[in-house]
Amino acid sequence: MCKNRKQPNYYIAIGMLISTTFYFLREAQMIPDWVRLIGYCFAIALMTYGIFKQGNRCKN
């Protein structure tokens, strides 16, 4: 039987942390725009992977 446990999605949390970090670094003018764009793309890809990843949700 499958247990219905909610586990935290660390991919979303890490993606949000990366996105926020790149935002603040750009506002402080410590990185150029192209680095921020690459960081945002990586964060979005990571969060999308965390949403749609297929794994063993039921272990017996």
Side-chain angles (χ1 to χ4, degrees):
M1 195 98 197
C2 240
K3 293 182 181 178
N4 191 7
R5 292 184 293 170
K6 283 211 158 202
Q7 296 179 347
N9 194 342
Y10 293 112
Y11 293 104
I12 301 294
I14 292 171
M16 290 299 293
L17 184 64
I18 290 171
S19 149
T20 305
T21 301
F22 277 100
Y23 173 78
F24 284 125
L25 285 175
R26 179 61 194 133
E27 287 298 313
Q29 297 180 350
M30 297 177 77
I31 58 173
D33 283 333
W34 64 271
V35 175
R36 181 179 65 165
L37 179 64
I38 291 172
Y40 281 168
C41 290
F42 178 73
I44 290 170
L46 185 67
M47 289 186 284
T48 304
Y49 173 75
I51 291 172
F52 293 113
K53 75 175 186 151
Q54 298 292 328
N56 279 346
R57 297 174 191 240
C58 184
K59 291 184 178 179
N60 292 330

